[in-house]
Amino acid sequence: MSFDQIRLDKQDGIALLTLHRPDRMNAFTGHMMGEIIAALDECDADDAVRAVIFTGHGDKAYCAGADLGAGAATFDYDKHGDGSDSPVAADGTIDWSHPLVRDGGGRVSMRIFAAKKPVLGAINGAAVGIGATMTLPMDARLASETARYGFVFARRGIVPEAASSWFLPRLVGIANAVDLCYSGRLISAAEAHEKGLVQSVHAPGDLIDAAIAKAREMTEGSAPVSVALTRHMLWRMMGAPHPMSAHRWDSRVIFSRGRSPDAAEGVTSFLEKRPPNFTASVANDYPWFAEFEDAPPYS
């Protein structure tokens, strides 16, 4: 596919997804949202892709947040159209299931959450608003020394979005989450690392290479379908009410994977002291257990 507001470059098993709006510090738009989702769909369907790395164009910003070009009406989504398809009825009631009500940043977070390939962030500069929250469902976040994070929503008169009220406390703890979100202050890459928001900090010129090295470390010796399943199991079980939920899912997946050629190859290659050659396809052989993986409907 060709894209306007992102770039997608695939090489040697790694897809580099670059937010690309140089004149707007890679600010987020509805159009960018659609392109990110389409790019992740493409990567999940491409068995040559083992991992996806997000970064931003240039050395100043990863993503400066929502594009504020609409001024005071930026977050008044009901005013963005011509009024012919409004979620607000004449009597003032609101249709909460209407597409205009649904948060676009949340749609990106939900798509990253659902990805079957590891997703990493190479945060090359300012990551503010949705630029910060879209990184939370990623499996690793590596930052440039020049990066800055800002959960600035309260300073703009809104609230954290992109399902960050679920993700952020799980990553940094509730005390750090409320500090960052109530104050809306910008924090350095060093403080983000201290709080556990990013895993490592790198010189700007080393960031992408470090992210690629981490992606390869995560994937090179592992069965792609097993990585995809493990990604879903670990993320989803963070919200499970009881370990029995994990036991039920583990049991189904172990049984399913144990019957696959990958399991035989994993054991045989270990005994023969050679690299494994896993052949199962994420696109075609992923065993879906709907009771654990089907997302609740948005309504």
Side-chain angles (χ1 to χ4, degrees), residues 195-260:
K195 286 178 163 46
L197 187 57
V198 301
Q199 279 68 40
S200 56
V201 179
H202 305 268
D206 298 334
L207 177 63
I208 296 299
D209 286 345
I212 291 172
K214 173 55 69 175
R216 296 203 190 290
E217 181 184 283
M218 286 179 164
T219 59
E220 274 188 334
S222 302
V225 175
S226 292
V227 172
L229 283 159
T230 301
R231 182 178 199 275
H232 284 192
M233 293 163 73
L234 291 173
W235 275 107
R236 284 156 177 75
M237 285 300 106
M238 285 203 304
H242 193 281
M244 183 58 75
S245 299
H247 177 52
R248 290 172 60 238
W249 197 0
D250 294 350
S251 298
R252 287 154 173 76
V253 175
I254 285 287
F255 186 87
S256 174
R257 288 261 76 203
R259 302 172 69 236
S260 74

Side-chain angles (χ1 to χ4, degrees), residues 21-226:
R21 298 189 69 216
D23 57 330
R24 302 292 292 176
M25 295 181 65
N26 307 322
F28 184 83
T29 68
H31 187 80
M32 180 185 283
M33 173 201 75
E35 291 193 345
I36 292 171
I37 291 171
L40 289 171
D41 288 346
E42 179 180 328
C43 290
D44 271 355
D46 185 351
D47 283 322
V49 172
R50 293 301 313 274
V52 181
I53 297 172
F54 277 63
T55 195
H57 175 80
D59 57 8
K60 188 174 183 180
Y62 168 71
C63 174
D67 192 315
L68 303 180
T74 294
F75 299 112
D76 192 350
Y77 301 109
D78 191 34
K79 294 181 179 177
H80 288 194
D82 60 8
S84 62
D85 184 27
S86 172
V88 184
D91 64 0
T93 58
I94 299 175
D95 175 8
W96 296 112
S97 64
H98 192 284
L100 276 178
V101 175
R102 188 169 184 182
D103 166 40
R107 292 182 62 188
V108 168
S109 286
M110 291 296 95
R111 185 59 189 86
I112 295 172
F113 182 78
K116 293 179 180 176
K117 311 293 173 72
V119 180
L120 297 83
I123 312 306
N124 57 297
V128 178
I130 179 59
T133 55
M134 76 162 74
T135 73
L136 302 180
M138 297 177 184
D139 300 294
R141 287 155 300 282
L142 293 75
S144 163
E145 292 168 344
T146 61
R148 297 291 183 271
Y149 264 89
F151 297 86
V152 298
F153 307 97
R155 294 192 177 198
R156 305 293 179 266
I158 55 171
V159 296
E161 36 60 274
S164 54
S165 57
W166 193 91
F167 288 106
L168 185 60
R170 286 168 166 79
L171 292 176
V172 303
I174 189 64
N176 284 324
V178 299
D179 170 36
L180 295 172
C181 292
Y182 292 1
S183 69
R185 62 189 178 87
L186 292 178
I187 63 170
S188 66
E191 185 174 353
H193 182 240
E194 177 189 345
K195 286 178 163 46
L197 187 57
V198 301
Q199 279 68 40
S200 56
V201 179
H202 305 268
D206 298 334
L207 177 63
I208 296 299
D209 286 345
I212 291 172
K214 173 55 69 175
R216 296 203 190 290
E217 181 184 283
M218 286 179 164
T219 59
E220 274 188 334
S222 302
V225 175
S226 292

